[in-house]
Amino acid sequence: MMALMAVTGPLISILDDDLSVGRALRRLVQSAGYPVATFASAREFLDSPALARAACLILDISLDGMSGFDLQERLAADHPSLPIIFMTALDEATTRARFRRSGVAVQLHKPFDEHALLHAIRRALDRGPLDGPDDVH
């Protein structure tokens, strides 16, 4: 279910299939003054007008249907300038290696500090896609 505020400024899109996590992140990001759109699936995000307006995507890698990594690969082809902040509770070697290859702005390991997320958003908006990910716990 998408929630899109009619506020100007850089739109932060949040994609997490855990609705309570999505709501909590939306409140946090809105409290920092950013307009926010939330989504429960990759398909919902891809079909949304928010895709064209998104200045940054906060993306969970573990999603039903299309995974966060699959969505990131698709966005890299169609929207290469969209900075992505990955979040995950997984910390497996294969996940870490895939993060390094993905070119995402930053990766946050759940649970993460709210200040780390807000810092990652500011950094992503300032610099866009980065050469390599930062790993934040």
Side-chain angles (χ1 to χ4, degrees):
M1 161 175 34
M2 181 185 78
L4 180 59
M5 292 181 55
V7 178
T8 59
L11 178 67
I12 309 302
S13 293
I14 299 170
L15 204 163
D16 195 310
D17 57 359
D18 183 330
L19 297 179
S20 64
V21 171
R23 281 191 301 270
L25 292 175
R26 181 182 65 233
R27 284 190 301 271
L28 171 63
V29 174
Q30 285 175 334
S31 75
Y34 297 107
V36 176
T38 57
F39 304 91
S41 72
R43 176 57 39 212
E44 185 181 2
F45 175 67
L46 290 170
D47 292 342
S48 163
L51 174 58
R53 286 195 47 223
C56 178
L57 175 61
I58 301 169
L59 177 60
D60 191 12
I61 65 167
S62 298
L63 300 170
D64 290 333
M66 184 184 299
S67 76
F69 282 128
D70 293 338
L71 177 59
Q72 184 272 333
E73 288 175 5
R74 181 167 176 177
L75 292 172
D78 299 335
H79 302 276
S81 64
L82 178 62
I84 296 174
I85 298 169
F86 266 131
M87 47 182 189
T88 185
L90 304 174
D91 193 26
E92 302 167 354
T94 56
T95 302
R96 288 191 307 270
R98 194 155 181 198
F99 272 132
R100 284 191 295 277
R101 291 190 308 271
S102 70
V104 297
V106 69
Q107 52 187 281
L108 298 171
H109 290 273
K110 295 177 182 177
F112 49 82
D113 180 86
E114 65 185 36
H115 299 291
L117 176 61
L118 295 176
H119 175 75
I121 291 169
R122 285 189 298 274
R123 190 164 172 249
L125 293 175
D126 288 345
R127 301 205 281 178
L130 305 177
D131 293 334
D134 288 338
D135 186 10
V136 179
H137 295 269

